[in-house]
């Protein structure tokens, strides 16, 4: 029986809307609590170096108030390490970050930075915080993640999702094959496998069906959909498609 897949809801873009005007509305903490009530299995938030959406105060308030796991996304900087160690989230997810990018555009290059990253994650491991690395579906990166002692890899689905959105079926199939083989390889090395970035109702099904992928982190599409349907129904619909994809895969 395939394990139920967890849905982590990323609430960064509630803060994006708030920050467009300044002031307090809409409140990402309220969104995190609403997502929790709607059945989210975790909350993901990215404290970016430029604080373009989530702020330090948001992260602290969310960590304090929610009863489901917090996945603290961050760049591997000293500043973020110190904030995250104080925040004590369930997990940290290390992502590459460039100021000029609109969103996280690629995965971490763990293989090129393994000595530094091994030292960087040590205090989190000592504190009992799970360490996730956001990487592309690349065996060299996956092997490096296992070698340095990461607990989790989150596979970057952006290239696959772009191909689906742009109707490039052959590219989508090729990317899905890469993600499938990466998930199997990582699972075989004892890594917990998550996936995320760019997932929508249209693209989530094959990723949800991958048995080794036990968590998806989804933000932008759910928050956008919430404008039309409300956050609870948007989360429920994503949950329904994920459950259906996993059940169909068993049939
Ligand atoms: N996972 C990681 C590591 C991310 O950086 C992001 C984007 O912040 C997401 C998941 C969520 O992506 P999206 O907002 O496109 O659903």
């Amino acid at each position: 029986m395939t394990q139920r897949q967890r849905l982590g809801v990323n609430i960064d873009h509630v803060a994006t809307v708030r920050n467009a005007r300044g002031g307090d509305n809409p409140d990402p903490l309220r969104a995190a609590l609403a997502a929790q009530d709607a059945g989210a299995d975790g909350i993901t938030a990215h404290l970016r170096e430029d604080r373009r959406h989530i702020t330090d105060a948001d992260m602290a308030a969310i960590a304090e108030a929610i009863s489901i796991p917090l996945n603290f996304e961050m760049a591997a900087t000293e500043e973020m390490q110190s904030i995250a160690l104080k925040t004590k989230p369930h997990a940290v997810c290390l992502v590459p970050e460039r100021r000029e990018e609109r969103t996280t555009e690629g995965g971490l290059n763990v293989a090129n930075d393994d000595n530094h990253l091994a030292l960087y994650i040590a205090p989190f491991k000592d504190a009992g915080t799970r360490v996730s690395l956001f990487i592309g579906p690349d065996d060299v990166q996956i092997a490096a993640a296992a070698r340095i002692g990461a607990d989790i890899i989150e596979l970057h689905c952006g290239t696959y999702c772009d191909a689906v959105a742009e109707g490039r079926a052959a590219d989508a199939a090729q990317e899905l094959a890469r993600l499938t083989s990466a998930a199997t390889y990582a699972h075989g090395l004892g890594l917990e496998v998550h996936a995320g970035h760019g997932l929508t109702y249209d693209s989530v099904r094959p990723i949800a069906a991958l048995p080794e992928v036990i968590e998806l982190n989804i933000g932008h599409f759910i928050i956008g959909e919430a404008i039309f349907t409300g956050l609870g129904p948007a989360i429920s619909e994503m949950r329904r498609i994920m459950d259906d994809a996993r059940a169909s895969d068993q049939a």
Side-chain angles (χ1 to χ4, degrees):
M1 177 68 186
T2 306
Q3 196 179 348
R4 179 181 179 275
Q5 193 172 49
R6 296 166 45 81
L7 172 59
V9 174
N10 178 317
I11 45 77
D12 290 347
H13 296 302
V14 176
T16 303
V17 175
R18 176 197 59 195
N19 296 358
R21 268 294 164 92
D24 297 332
N25 297 308
D27 180 6
L29 171 59
R30 185 173 165 198
L33 293 170
Q36 174 176 287
D37 288 347
D41 299 295
I43 299 297
T44 292
H46 184 175
L47 186 64
R48 292 188 75 103
E49 196 189 355
D50 61 9
R51 311 303 199 265
R52 70 175 69 157
H53 39 56
I54 293 294
T55 64
D56 302 55
D58 292 329
M59 194 62 102
I62 292 166
E64 171 78 25
I66 61 174
S67 53
I68 53 179
L70 172 63
N71 179 31
F72 186 140
E73 266 186 42
M74 56 188 239
T77 65
E78 270 184 39
E79 181 200 20
M80 288 303 151
Q81 186 186 51
S82 138
I83 296 170
L85 285 169
K86 280 186 214 124
T87 308
K88 300 192 178 69
H90 171 76
V92 290
C93 178
L94 303 185
V95 303
E97 211 177 281
R98 285 185 292 122
R99 275 182 188 258
E100 64 274 19
E101 70 190 358
R102 252 191 296 176
T103 180
T104 315
E105 280 165 7
L108 274 181
N109 194 335
V110 187
N112 268 8
D113 201 20
D114 51 353
N115 288 337
H116 166 243
L117 283 172
L119 288 174
Y120 187 85
I121 67 176
F124 292 113
K125 304 214 48 131
D126 291 346
T129 297
R130 303 201 17 99
V131 174
S132 174
L133 303 179
F134 189 46
I135 58 179
D138 174 339
D139 287 359
V140 172
Q141 300 301 335
I142 294 167
R147 190 167 67 241
I148 69 166
D151 302 291
I152 304 164
I153 56 154
E154 180 165 327
L155 289 171
H156 194 312
C157 300
T159 309
Y160 157 75
C161 291
D162 287 347
V164 172
E166 291 160 19
R168 291 182 281 110
D171 291 343
Q174 194 180 13
E175 255 327 283
L176 182 60
R178 291 184 68 204
L179 289 162
T180 304
S181 121
T184 307
Y185 179 59
H187 181 74
L189 293 179
L191 289 158
E192 186 172 311
V193 186
H194 299 177
H197 203 93
L199 291 166
T200 67
Y201 294 156
D202 289 334
S203 55
V204 75
R205 188 173 277 278
I207 306 295
L210 297 176
E212 298 89 356
V213 177
I214 66 150
E215 179 174 310
L216 300 183
N217 284 301
I218 310 181
H220 184 265
F221 179 81
I222 287 179
I223 301 305
E225 198 60 16
I227 293 169
F228 303 106
T229 65
L231 190 53
I235 290 170
S236 301
E237 178 60 5
M238 191 60 84
R239 175 84 264 160
R240 186 192 68 72
I241 299 171
M242 288 162 59
D243 290 345
D244 188 58
R246 259 167 133 74
S248 309
D249 205 47
Q250 295 282 296

